[in-house]
Amino acid sequence: MTYPTAPPTSQGDERTPGGAILMDGNRLRDEIVSELATTIVAAGSPSVCLATVLVGDDAPSQRYVRNKHLQAAKAGMVSRNEVLPADAGQTRVEQIVSALAADPNVHGILVQSPLPAGYDEEAVLRLIPAVKDVDGLTSESMGRLVRGLPGLVGCTPLGVMRLLERHAVPTRGRRAVVIGRSMLVGLPLSLLLARKGVDATVTIAHSRSVDLVDLCRDADIVVGAVGQPGLITAAHVKPGAAVVDVGISRTEAGIVGDVDFDAVQAVAGHITPMPGGTGPMTIACLLENTLTAARLQGVLPA
Ligand code: NAP
């Protein structure tokens, strides 16, 4: 990346040409992965195992899973990848997930989404015990989040929270707008921002929301979790606001986010790059969740 030109902050964070602090997900992922490795070594290097289940040959899914295993190794974890052809069938996928659920040597299970057409994803998720649900997607994990109980939280929303925390972006009493209300990103992130202790006042926007500019321009934190290139423009952003880009769209120009980065960086106080922002943090938080899962299963001290 070549765009940061302004002097870095006292914490060494890069700034964009417009002066916004760049919330660098690659850098924070590396810090988190290194901390996880240190924690595992300090606990006597127990075997902490993440298992992924990949069905079909979707190229981005294959790439995501490869990256997860690469980073797991850097964190000092063991990982297992169950790869099945697209036509393996519901029964076979359920058998594999049930076996992983019953295996005491496996601490975290991630079924790479989306499964090919025709699979019942909910039925597969139901087989993952809450203590191994490192993706935080099962009904029990989501229910615990809603009820404010301890549990495993979705990796992408958790990654956004880690970026805000790392850069000391204030949340208490601040206004946040989360654009997108999916179970994967928007909804859990809204709950995390509104949680006691985080204390943001959260607006959830979606495809039926009217006048997005109006909704966003008073916000201190704006998160795009839509998948529509350039949806968030400078007009949406209050000067000094923190802007987080979760959306991923593959275009001829490469991967682009929901945020018009060049225009918004001139107005925002903090901004994530795309790529290099929320994506790497999703993987970091998957591994953080795997360590939490191992603790819940007594592999490391709580
Ligand atoms: P999703 O299930 O398709 O949800 C998209 C959300 O955006 C929906 O709530 C939808 O509203 C809303 N939306 C669509 N058009 C809109 C518009 N014009 N204005 C306002 N809201 C609009 O997608 P998802 O799984 O949440 O993922 C969202 C994006 O994040 C995708 O691009 C995905 O690839 C990306 N992603 C990135 C990461 C990462 O690590 N960075 C991880 C996961 C996903 P309705 O509910 O009304 O349909």
Side-chain angles (χ1 to χ4, degrees):
M1 258 176 289
T2 53
Y3 48 77
T5 54
T9 67
S10 54
Q11 287 190 305
D13 292 320
E14 287 181 296
R15 288 184 186 270
T16 68
I21 293 172
L22 196 66
M23 295 191 280
D24 182 342
N26 283 320
R27 182 172 142 175
L28 184 52
R29 175 206 55 211
D30 290 347
E31 286 173 17
I32 290 173
V33 166
S34 154
E35 281 164 20
L36 294 171
T38 304
T39 305
I40 291 172
V41 169
S45 301
S47 171
V48 174
C49 178
L50 167 69
T52 56
V53 179
L54 177 62
V55 185
D57 51 10
D58 177 57
S61 293
Q62 288 174 334
R63 206 166 38 246
Y64 292 145
V65 167
R66 252 197 322 274
N67 270 332
K68 287 165 185 172
H69 289 271
L70 188 78
Q71 294 297 329
K74 288 186 184 170
M77 295 179 184
V78 178
S79 59
R80 203 188 281 184
N81 189 18
E82 301 284 353
V83 183
L84 294 155
D87 63 357
Q90 184 79 21
T91 307
R92 181 74 190 123
V93 173
E94 290 189 11
Q95 277 169 351
I96 294 280
V97 173
S98 298
L100 294 172
D103 186 340
N105 296 314
V106 169
H107 307 108
I109 303 171
L110 176 140
V111 177
Q112 185 63 43
S113 176
L115 290 174
Y119 283 88
D120 180 350
E121 201 158 323
E122 284 298 326
V124 175
L125 287 180
R126 271 199 293 275
L127 300 169
I128 303 176
V131 289
K132 295 190 180 187
D133 179 21
V134 286
D135 230 359
L137 284 175
T138 63
S139 301
E140 183 171 348
S141 298
M142 291 292 284
R144 296 184 78 82
L145 175 62
V146 171
R147 294 180 63 85
L149 299 171
L152 294 164
V153 174
C155 311
T156 303
L158 190 57
V160 173
M161 297 307 295
R162 293 282 178 263
L163 278 169
L164 296 175
E165 287 159 17
R166 161 70 176 74
H167 293 91
V169 173
T171 51
R172 188 175 181 184
R174 304 301 168 105
R175 293 183 195 189
V177 175
V178 177
I179 314 172
R181 57 178 166 182
S182 71
M183 290 295 143
L184 187 64
V185 190
L187 200 60
L189 178 58
S190 305
L191 292 166
L192 287 173
L193 284 164
R195 249 186 182 183
K196 272 193 190 303
V198 181
D199 300 323
T201 303
V202 183
T203 300
I204 305 174
H206 45 76
S207 67
R208 310 287 169 178
S209 297
V210 177
D211 205 344
L212 205 55
V213 170
D214 239 21
L215 287 176
C216 292
R217 70 176 164 210
D218 287 334
D220 304 293
I221 299 167
V222 177
V223 182
V226 174
Q228 202 169 108
L231 176 74
I232 301 168
T233 66
H236 293 77
V237 177
K238 180 169 89 170
V243 180
V244 180
D245 199 350
V246 177
I248 294 176
S249 304
R250 289 179 175 77
T251 68
E252 281 180 3
I255 287 179
V256 293
D258 290 347
V259 176
D260 177 351
F261 184 91
D262 289 341
V264 171
Q265 61 81 28
V267 185
H270 289 79
I271 189 166
T272 52
M274 175 56 72
T278 53
M281 288 307 299
T282 296
I283 297 184
C285 289
L286 169 68
L287 300 177
E288 182 183 322
N289 277 349
T290 305
L291 192 72
T292 306
R295 283 202 169 103
L296 292 170
Q297 289 159 77
V299 176
L300 286 95

